[in-house]
Structure formats: structure tokens, C-alpha cells
Amino acid sequence: HGLSGTNGPGLRFIYGDILKAFKLDPAAPLARAGMSMADLIDTPTTGPAPNYGGHGNHFHNRRHMLEVLVSAAVLLAVHDQRGFDPKFTPFEKTLLLTAALGHDLGHDGRGNGLGDKRVPLLNETRSLLLADDIIAPHYGPGRRADYEEDFALYRALLVSTDIGGGKNSPSNIFNAVVAFTHTHKTVPAPVTPEDQHFMSMMEAYPHLPELSALLQDADILPSTAASPEWAERQERTLAQELTAHRMPDGDVNWRDALWFRLNLAAPKSLAGQTFASNRAEINAHIKGLAESQPG
């Protein structure tokens, strides 16, 4: 419901329904913050007010936030039903779902840039600044330490969604830890001080890497593992928003779209890997479009 636009149930209802499906407490501070976040995402704004829901953006808008929330719920359900490790706590499930809802809060529709013009974590930082003001009040007086701990985990998940940030991005160290957990082939080594910070955080919260992997997969699942027709529609919508994804004639740059799928969009989580057949079908479709594109 509501996936085709702003019609249908509000995000508060959908978010609340998902919490109910996983038997999560809607009165928990982070869940109540998610309800407030959903209301703000649903509300169009004017003037200098924060554009929480990306209203006016072709791709990074309320519909995308809804798709990622639903995708996170699907992946979490697969994780539970398949009996994958780790077994998440109710708080961790609420954390994942709330991060999925708010991962692109206030997105400006321009992305983080490419090449020399890239600003790592640009939109993620904006989302975190907006989320801070929404989440903090739900903890109330005397719970500052709880809030700081929970928001540190929320921040770690949010910054890991900048998957195009290169080898020094937070996502890189999270993904290295996840890959090691799944395969035990390569021991991840911190490269930067931020890597060391996240390594220390993951030692304290050992379920954090797989939560990050699930969120990363949820962010791109609608574009990479639904159906060829849906994936093509997603690419055309993204190209309307970002000129870097277009050819001079206005068509989607299908070669870039294929490169993204082959180099950055591989599934990170165990649940995400269950969509391998969908991804293979979609990649073949995008490859056909790329090969037929002039130039």
C-alpha cells in the first residue's frame, strides 16, 4: 500500500504495522521516535522548513523511504525465518527498521557527488542532524546516557549506507567484518581512525555488522532484486534526479547502472543473498540495455 505515491496509508500506520508484525513495543523510545519521523516524512514543507520526506525529488523521496522500510522488514523476516545468525533482540530490530525509515531524511535530491566533487557522507550527515532533533525528545530527562548509546548505533548504521564512498568509507569496514563473519577468509584490518572507532563499536555490539548489511541491502533491494521491469523504472526515475546517471540524449547511462550492480550492489547480508536469482535476472536485463546502447 502507498508504494505508488503519496496515496494509501500514512507512514505512521505502515511503520506501526511492521512493528506489530515483529511483536515490537511501539512505546519504546526509538519506536515512538520512528512514529514522529514517519509523520514528518509524510508532511510536505515550504520555505526554510526541513524537507524531511524529500518532497519534489524524483527518486530520493517519501516513496523511496517507504520502499526501504518495507525492504528492511522483508529482509528481517527472511533472516528470522531462515534461522540465520545472529538472533536479533527486539531493540535491534526496532533500530534497523527506524534506520531504514530515516536513512534519507531530508535528502536534497543531488546525491553526494562524484569524483573530485564527491563529499562523503553529505546526505547521511544531513539525515543524522535532522534525526537527532526527532529522536532525543523521546528519551526524556534522566535518560541521556541511553539516548547517546542508542543514537551512536543509529549513526553507525546511517553512515554505512554511503556505499559508494570508497575504501575509506565506514561501509567498507562494516562490510569487511560481515564478509569475514560469513566466510572467515580475510581478517578485516582497520585503516583509518574511524575504522578503529567502528571496530571498537562492533566489538561491543557484535550484531551491528549484520544490521548494517541488512540496511545496506534494504537501501538497494528495490532497484536490484525486485523484477527487471521495476529495476528499469527505478533507474529511469533516478536518472531524472541525477544528471550523472544520464547520457547526452537523456537516456539512462545503462553501462554505469550495470557497473554499480556488479561492483557495489552485491548483497552484504545473509538474507540479501537469498535474492540471488532475482539479481541475476535483473543484471542480465540491465546488461542487455547497456550492450544495446549506442557509444
Side-chain angles (χ1 to χ4, degrees):
H1 294 292
L3 285 174
S4 60
T6 56
N7 296 325
L11 272 179
R12 169 183 282 265
F13 175 87
I14 297 169
Y15 174 80
D17 222 30
I18 290 172
L19 293 181
K20 188 185 301 181
F22 287 100
K23 298 181 171 59
L24 301 174
D25 182 7
L30 200 55
R32 286 189 281 109
M35 296 290 188
S36 296
M37 199 177 289
D39 289 338
L40 290 167
I41 291 169
D42 266 345
T43 305
T45 56
T46 58
N51 186 11
Y52 294 99
H55 298 275
N57 296 343
H58 289 283
F59 184 90
H60 290 100
N61 50 32
R62 172 197 182 271
R63 184 178 66 189
H64 172 67
M65 297 178 207
L66 171 56
E67 289 171 351
V68 175
L69 169 63
V70 172
S71 295
V74 169
L75 290 169
L76 187 54
V78 170
H79 186 96
D80 285 351
Q81 290 165 8
R82 297 290 180 94
F84 292 141
D85 288 326
K87 303 298 184 290
F88 297 122
T89 66
F91 166 75
E92 289 167 341
K93 292 179 180 181
T94 304
L95 173 67
L96 172 65
L97 294 168
T98 308
L101 174 65
H103 80 290
D104 273 337
L105 206 65
H107 199 289
D108 66 0
R110 291 192 288 272
N112 291 353
L114 297 171
D116 294 339
K117 295 181 179 180
R118 194 174 204 287
V119 181
L121 304 179
L122 176 62
N123 276 290
E124 291 75 16
T125 300
R126 181 186 298 111
S127 297
L128 286 166
L129 289 170
L130 293 174
D132 193 4
D133 288 338
I134 299 169
I135 296 173
H138 292 278
Y139 284 75
R143 297 201 62 184
R144 182 69 190 181
D146 293 340
Y147 165 70
E148 289 178 350
E149 183 173 349
D150 292 359
F151 194 76
L153 296 171
Y154 182 91
R155 176 187 179 277
L157 291 184
L158 262 285
V159 298
S160 74
T161 61
D162 186 8
I163 62 172
K167 66 179 182 178
N168 291 331
S169 65
S171 64
N172 190 61
I173 195 67
F174 276 100
N175 294 339
V177 172
V178 169
F180 174 70
T181 302
H182 294 172
T183 67
H184 299 286
K185 289 182 179 179
T186 305
V187 180
V191 177
T192 68
E194 189 164 33
D195 286 351
Q196 186 60 61
H197 165 72
F198 287 122
M199 288 292 287
S200 299
M201 184 177 284
M202 287 183 275
E203 289 175 6
Y205 302 95
H207 295 179
L208 191 58
E210 194 72 19
L211 287 170
S212 167
L214 284 165
L215 180 59
Q216 290 181 58
D217 285 350
D219 195 8
I220 59 176
L221 192 72
S223 300
T224 59
S227 69
E229 296 76 18
W230 188 267
E232 183 176 339
R233 172 186 168 180
Q234 292 278 83
E235 288 293 342
R236 293 189 183 282
T237 305
L238 182 61
Q240 286 182 282
E241 185 173 283
L242 300 176
T243 57
H245 290 261
R246 294 201 298 265
M247 298 292 284
D249 63 1
D251 195 10
V252 177
N253 187 329
W254 295 111
R255 291 180 183 82
D256 278 1
L258 181 62
W259 182 92
F260 173 81
R261 281 167 166 73
L262 298 178
N263 292 277
L264 295 178
K268 280 78 177 177
S269 68
L270 293 171
Q273 292 169 20
T274 65
F275 287 86
S277 59
N278 297 61
R279 289 176 181 272
E281 182 183 6
I282 290 169
N283 285 356
H285 179 74
I286 300 298
K287 182 180 180 182
L289 293 171
E291 290 175 344
S292 65
Q293 193 161 48

